[in-house]
Every structure is written in structure tokens, then in C-alpha cells.
Amino acid sequence: MSDQQHEILSQLNDSQREAVTYCDGPSLVIAGAGSGKTRVLTYKIAYLLTTGLDPWNILALTFTNKAAREMKERVAQIVGDEQARRLYMGTFHSIFSRILRKEGQTLGYQPNFTIYDDSDSRSLIKLILKELGLDDKVYKPATVAGRISMAKNHLILPAQYANDQAACQRDREQRMPSIAKIYAAYQQKLSTANALDFDDIILKTVELLEQFEDVRTYYQRKFHYVMIDEYQDTNQLQYQLTALLAGGYENICVVGDDDQSIYKFRGATIENILSFEKQFKGARVIRLEQNYRSTQAILNAANAVISHNRGRK
């Protein structure tokens, strides 16, 4: 063990140390609030770099720019700015928009594509409603955008949606039988404008990796190690994407808390944590159970509430 590795590991408790040093296959780190999960992620990245791995061979994904910035700053404190700067570390959208700007022409997108935010998407839906002669009091743009987003997060494209009898029946029951038509028009207009919405950034990267073996192989070989923070907040689409990328070396480490999912309304599914060992054979599960943030009274109260949760690891 090198002096640098010894210095890194000396600052961790036993469970954290196990999570940091296990690098030979898939691992799931169950980490409650205050248990040091950010420390585990940053120290694991630093530890991997001490083993000789190049920073651009590590993909580290999280959900907010703030979390990504904090992680990169912490890694830089350990290994220096130069190596931290070269990591593929950021939010799902920042990392995969970067990849799409490089590879998107394969799917017909120019590198200068526009990314529509939620406001842009709703404005486009309003335009489509007007063109189709549909009442925006019935087809509320935010509701329609939510339907389209949920479809994309379940890998359902416009043609598939139109043939999905259950979805179309639900739309008819809710007096919105033209959702499929709106979805098709929406996607066509995005394509014509050389634009993607937030969901497309993930969806189109999945399409890219699934349809083009040479691109998939390149990124599977590039990313020797895939790490994901807040795994309980990933949805089906994000799981599909990370599983594709980890398919080369099968070195994937996800950190999450099955009691803290907050993005269910965006399609997040706790099933990604609960079924991790089935999805990634031979996965090691490591639990961080020492809390550094709360008093025992608070922990007792929280655990009493959490114990009633259904669907826990």
C-alpha cells in the first residue's frame, strides 16, 4: 500500500474503507443521511486514481450541479486540481449532453443542438395545441409535458405510445385522447429545430449506445469505472444508460438510500436499488450505518418512522 493510499484510508471507518477499496466488480453502498456517503464517493475516486487509473477513465454521476461541484472540489483537495479537472464528473445531463455533442451526428443531430428547458417545452406544446385546434384548458401544457416526459423515461417513443392501448385508453378516460398525436408532433418539431429536451439527453444517449455497437464499445472501454450518487433517484432510463456503460468492465459503484427517494414524480424508481443484485450478478452490498450528523434521539425517532416504509433494502 502506498503512502497516499494509507493516508486516504486512515480517514475512514471500517464500512467506508470497505466501500472505497472494493473495486473488482459491482457494488451497492447503502448510505443514510449523515453516514459519510459523499466522503466515500470522493475518497473512492481518489483511491482509484492512486491505483494508476487515468481520471478520464472514471465516470461519476450525480443529480445536481452543486453536488458535482462539491465532489470535484473534495477530490481536488486530495489528488490535485489537474487530475480532478480531467474526471468525467457531473450531472447526468451535463455529461451526456457533452457526449451527444461529440457523437450526436450519428443520430442526425448537429453538435450545436439546442437544449429546451421546461419552459421551452411547454411553449412548444402550446404551439402544437394551437395548430391541432386543441383546448389548452383541457390539454394543460404542463400536464401534457409530464405525460411525454414519463413516456420517455420508460423508453416509450411516439410510435410505441400510439400503439400502447393502455396509455391511449387512460388518455381517453381523462378526456385527452390526442396525447399520442401531440407527442409525435412535439418530437418532430424538436428534431426539425435541431433541439433536445432534458429527457432526450438521456433517451438519445441510450439510443446511440444501443443502436451503434462501435460507439457503445468505445465508451465501455473508455469508462473503466462508473459511479452514481443518489441511486435511489434514478429512473428506468438512467438505469438503462448506466447499465450499458458499465457493460464493459462491470465496475459500477452506486450509492443510495432506499428511504430517501424524492424524484418519484419524475419516474424515479426505488426498484433500481432493490433489484441491483439481480441486475448486476455478484454485486457486493455495503452498508454505512454510523451517523455523524444527528443525535441519538433524532436517530431513534427517524428510525421509528422509516421502519414502516415498504420496499426497503
Side-chain angles (χ1 to χ4, degrees), residues 216-275:
R216 180 173 69 250
T217 300
Y218 171 80
Y219 284 100
Q220 285 179 341
R221 289 177 177 170
K222 178 181 181 66
F223 298 128
H224 293 225
Y225 217 98
V226 177
M227 302 176 68
I228 308 168
D229 189 16
E230 306 291 3
Y231 195 63
Q232 76 280 353
D233 288 326
T234 54
N235 58 33
Q236 184 177 345
L237 196 57
Q238 288 159 333
Y239 158 72
Q240 184 80 3
L241 178 50
T242 52
L244 281 166
L245 287 171
Y249 294 90
E250 294 201 343
N251 286 330
I252 181 170
C253 174
V254 304
V255 180
D257 183 351
D258 48 351
D259 293 316
Q260 285 198 78
S261 182
I262 62 171
Y263 287 127
K264 189 173 182 180
F265 68 98
R266 293 185 185 173
T269 172
I270 199 66
E271 187 61 29
N272 287 345
I273 278 186
L274 300 180
S275 62

Side-chain angles (χ1 to χ4, degrees), residues 19-39:
V20 165
T21 57
Y22 183 71
C23 304
D24 298 317
S27 61
L28 166 63
V29 181
I30 302 292
S35 63
K37 71 177 181 64
T38 303
R39 170 170 286 241

Side-chain angles (χ1 to χ4, degrees), residues 1-151:
M1 182 186 299
S2 69
D3 290 343
Q4 191 175 17
Q5 288 174 336
H6 180 76
E7 175 64 21
I8 289 170
L9 300 180
S10 67
Q11 301 179 55
L12 305 171
N13 66 34
D14 290 345
S15 296
Q16 291 171 339
R17 193 176 300 115
E18 181 186 4
V20 165
T21 57
Y22 183 71
C23 304
D24 298 317
S27 61
L28 166 63
V29 181
I30 302 292
S35 63
K37 71 177 181 64
T38 303
R39 170 170 286 241
V40 162
L41 285 167
T42 53
Y43 277 59
K44 190 177 186 75
I45 292 169
Y47 181 83
L48 285 167
L49 292 172
T50 68
T51 67
L53 205 60
D54 289 317
W56 51 85
N57 293 141
I58 299 172
L59 173 64
L61 299 166
T62 188
F63 279 85
T64 67
N65 290 318
K66 180 181 177 183
R69 188 166 54 248
E70 179 184 349
M71 285 172 60
K72 188 165 287 190
E73 288 170 355
R74 290 199 192 186
V75 172
Q77 290 172 2
I78 304 170
V79 300
D81 289 333
E82 181 65 19
Q83 284 197 299
R85 185 175 59 81
R86 296 186 176 189
L87 291 164
Y88 268 76
M89 177 186 288
T91 63
F92 277 84
H93 293 106
S94 68
I95 293 295
F96 295 117
S97 62
R98 178 178 166 186
I99 289 175
L100 282 175
R101 292 207 187 276
K102 180 180 177 183
E103 309 286 355
Q105 286 179 286
T106 309
L107 293 172
Y109 290 94
Q110 297 304 309
N112 63 340
F113 61 75
T114 303
I115 299 175
Y116 280 21
D117 62 17
D118 291 342
S119 177
D120 296 325
S121 294
R122 287 194 291 270
S123 295
L124 179 56
I125 287 169
K126 284 182 183 178
L127 174 64
I128 292 167
L129 293 175
K130 188 173 182 180
E131 289 179 350
L132 294 177
L134 297 170
D135 186 351
D136 63 6
K137 300 290 192 299
V138 176
Y139 291 89
K140 294 179 180 178
T143 301
V144 175
R147 289 285 176 86
I148 292 173
S149 177
M150 193 62 72

